Amino acid sequence: MSVDTEPAAPAPTPAPSTEVRHVQLSLSTAAARNLATTTKSEPQMQGISSRWLLRKLPWVHTPGGTYRVNRRLSYVVGDGRVTFNKTGSKVEVIPAELAELPLLRGFDDALALGALAEKFVQKEYEPGQVIVHAGKKADHIYLIAHGKVEKLGTGKYGDETLLGRLGDGDTFGGQILAGDGKWEFTAKATTAATILALPQTAYKAVADQYENLRAHVQSLGSNGHRPTNKAGEAAIELSAGHVGEALLPGAFADYELKPREYELSVAQTVLKVHSRVADLYNQPMNQTQQQLRLTIQELRERQEYELVNNPEFGLLNNTDFEQRIQTQSGPPTPDDLDDLLSMRRGTQYLFAHPRAIAAFGKECNKRGLMLRSVEVDGHAIPAWRGVPILPCGKIGVSEHQTSSIIAMRTGENNEGVIGLHQTGLPDEIEPGLNCRFMGIDEKAIISYLVSTYYSAAVLVPDAIGILENVEVRPRA
């Protein structure tokens, strides 16, 4: 059976091509670059910050490598900060940290401190809950492991007035070690708070067991009866307003017998450059100089970090506990900075993490306040009450999104904070920084020892203050 099919249609004839092939008429730029010298930048470094702290600290030449801060003798033993161990929800005070209590300062009997630490009882408080009432018998020592507490008193006209704020590591009630007394303030938790409490009866039981503990507390407690000025320094007896031939008191200014000494610290590294690189690849830039420039920048960054955070001389760790305050609510407010500035004369600079500065700006915006600016070294810097707020990224932000703001007075003649370094070093290339040739090894690698020597000293306690637990996270 056959099937009829239609014949296939013929294929269409292709249209004539209109494409014009490009013919290169000149040398391409890619080929030309083989004969050209490129214009190059110096090696760039993202880790360079403004380093305002290094720029604004007055640097004092320290030829002996050690700087001694002599002060008038002080009898006031300030409240210290204690540290805790946390296991799950259980909090325990580290026994050696109890030596931070005013009347236990310098006491180092590990057995007695351990027995005392075991007597502390953990308590939890809700926001607004009263911990102690003014006028009631003071019969407990309280250690704040976490949270904020307000100290409240009675004003002139019977109204409630704020006496101060306490935060993590602060203590109150330490005076019960020296005897009985009454609370001079009401303590109230402003946030959820975890507090360790030691009953007076528990302390007496330990003191009966360790006689050296009782003797130590009694000896320090008796110092509080010596005449002092408002700063706690040994008083200089004076007479004023007298007439006739009154008998004038004798006086002298007593000094601390063991003044604080600051030794210069060091940041160092060994810079290595292959001799072939140093010999052949120096056009248009000297390779060794560029390597050294970047190394110096990194050393200066580390120097500023140490000046802020070093446990021995860093400003955050060497600020007197009496010069630390807590925020009223969480983020830094104008009221908080006013409190911080009021604690010292002649505050010259405020240093804060950039996020803390932004948080303060937001609080000002909420109140309809505009941050003014002042000129510092040709830069317009935001300021509060005329005091510039300089950014310092070396002031860290904790995992809880809190930071600190530092207020500072500087200079030797101003009894402030100073930087310490030594100039005139061998092979010095910047003040307090030198680069010393160490030789060439068997692999033809040239080594240079790059070192910078530095420290910082706080001449009197009120030269620096800190606003702590500043919340920097955005608030809903």
Side-chain angles (χ1 to χ4, degrees):
M1 178 177 176
S2 63
V3 179
D4 295 334
T5 59
E6 295 182 1
T13 304
S17 174
T18 58
E19 180 182 356
V20 178
R21 178 172 297 179
H22 176 73
V23 178
Q24 183 174 331
L25 302 178
S26 63
L27 183 67
S28 68
T29 56
R33 286 185 60 188
N34 292 330
L35 301 182
T37 300
T38 60
T39 301
K40 293 173 279 290
S41 73
E42 290 186 337
Q44 305 298 300
M45 179 176 171
Q46 187 175 349
I48 298 176
S49 64
S50 56
R51 298 201 294 264
W52 279 108
L53 180 61
L54 293 188
R55 293 158 64 178
K56 304 317 295 181
L57 272 184
W59 289 93
V60 175
H61 176 49
T62 312
T66 302
Y67 188 93
R68 178 181 295 162
V69 179
N70 289 308
R71 294 176 179 171
R72 282 179 60 183
L73 179 63
S74 175
Y75 293 126
V76 172
V77 181
D79 288 340
R81 292 274 175 95
V82 295
T83 307
F84 305 86
N85 282 326
K86 189 173 187 297
T87 305
S89 60
K90 184 179 180 181
V91 178
E92 296 177 329
V93 62
I94 299 174
E97 290 292 314
L98 292 177
E100 294 295 336
L101 289 169
L103 295 181
L104 293 180
R105 189 69 56 87
F107 185 70
D108 57 0
D109 187 330
L111 293 178
L113 292 176
L116 207 57
E118 293 177 355
K119 300 294 184 180
F120 279 86
V121 179
Q122 181 176 340
K123 296 185 177 183
E124 303 291 336
Y125 292 89
E126 298 296 327
Q129 187 174 354
V130 174
I131 303 170
V132 301
H133 292 270
K136 299 292 185 179
K137 181 181 179 181
D139 55 1
H140 282 75
I141 299 173
Y142 293 97
L143 313 179
I144 304 175
H146 182 68
K148 291 184 180 180
V149 174
E150 287 185 343
K151 295 169 64 177
L152 305 173
T154 303
K156 180 178 180 180
Y157 301 103
D159 56 328
E160 188 176 77
T161 184
L162 179 65
L163 301 179
R165 296 182 181 87
L166 305 174
D168 298 2
D170 283 328
T171 71
F172 61 97
Q175 74 276 8
I176 73 165
L177 299 179
D180 297 329
K182 294 184 178 181
W183 293 113
E184 298 178 350
F185 54 85
T186 295
K188 182 172 66 175
T190 57
T191 66
T194 300
I195 294 178
L196 299 186
L198 175 71
Q200 187 180 37
T201 54
Y203 161 71
K204 289 181 177 179
V206 176
D208 291 339
Q209 184 179 357
Y210 297 92
E211 185 59 35
N212 58 338
L213 173 61
R214 185 188 303 276
H216 181 89
V217 169
Q218 291 176 348
S219 64
L220 280 187
S222 63
N223 286 339
H225 301 294
R226 301 183 187 181
T228 62
N229 62 14
K230 63 180 181 180
E233 299 168 329
I236 298 177
E237 298 296 333
L238 304 173
S239 179
H242 54 275
V243 295
E245 298 178 351
L247 181 64
L248 299 180
F252 68 97
D254 206 354
Y255 303 140
E256 289 184 348
L257 296 179
K258 296 181 180 180
R260 172 77 182 272
E261 292 185 348
Y262 296 86
E263 294 185 0
L264 293 185
S265 184
V266 62
Q268 292 178 306
T269 189
V270 177
L271 174 62
K272 295 179 178 293
V273 181
H274 199 286
S275 59
R276 181 170 52 189
V277 173
D279 291 341
L280 301 179
Y281 300 95
N282 286 319
Q283 295 298 330
M285 301 173 195
N286 185 289
Q287 291 282 1
T288 303
Q289 289 181 357
Q290 294 302 320
Q291 289 284 307
L292 181 59
R293 181 179 66 85
L294 296 178
T295 301
I296 291 174
Q297 292 288 352
E298 191 64 36
L299 282 173
R300 292 303 191 194
E301 292 291 330
R302 183 54 182 264
Q303 177 182 352
E304 186 176 61
Y305 176 87
E306 292 293 320
L307 289 175
V308 173
N309 298 287
N310 188 280
E312 297 297 326
F313 57 84
L315 300 180
L316 287 178
N317 297 308
N318 282 271
T319 300
D320 192 89
F321 292 116
E322 293 295 325
Q323 299 297 322
R324 300 169 185 258
I325 59 174
Q326 306 293 321
T327 58
Q328 294 186 11
S329 56
T333 65
D335 295 336
D336 293 327
L337 288 198
D338 283 343
D339 291 341
L340 186 62
L341 294 176
S342 68
M343 297 173 67
R344 72 199 43 78
R345 58 178 172 85
T347 302
Q348 294 173 280
Y349 306 106
L350 293 164
F351 292 93
H353 191 280
R355 290 178 61 188
I357 298 177
F360 177 66
K362 293 175 183 178
E363 292 302 310
C364 290
N365 292 340
K366 290 179 182 178
R367 302 189 182 197
L369 300 175
M370 182 179 66
L371 270 180
R372 299 184 181 274
S373 62
V374 297
E375 184 176 328
V376 181
D377 297 344
H379 300 269
I381 301 296
W384 182 251
R385 306 296 189 193
V387 180
I389 310 174
L390 299 172
C392 182
K394 310 305 188 300
I395 302 174
V397 176
S398 73
E399 60 181 2
H400 302 294
Q401 301 301 300
T402 59
S403 185
S404 299
I405 296 178
I406 299 176
M408 188 186 303
R409 181 178 69 245
T410 63
E412 275 189 306
N413 295 334
N414 209 17
E415 295 183 318
V417 180
I418 58 174
L420 306 175
H421 68 176
Q422 186 176 138
T423 58
L425 299 171
D427 302 318
E428 187 175 63
I429 54 178
E430 289 185 6
L433 186 148
N434 65 350
C435 178
R436 310 196 73 178
F437 176 69
M438 295 178 63
I440 305 175
D441 65 14
E442 64 277 5
K443 296 182 180 180
I445 296 177
I446 308 171
S447 298
Y448 300 91
L449 177 63
V450 189
S451 309
T452 180
Y453 301 92
Y454 56 89
S455 188
V458 179
L459 299 187
V460 295
D462 77 342
I464 182 172
I466 297 179
L467 177 64
E468 296 185 312
N469 295 317
V470 172
E471 291 185 7
V472 298
R473 63 173 180 265
R475 297 180 67 86

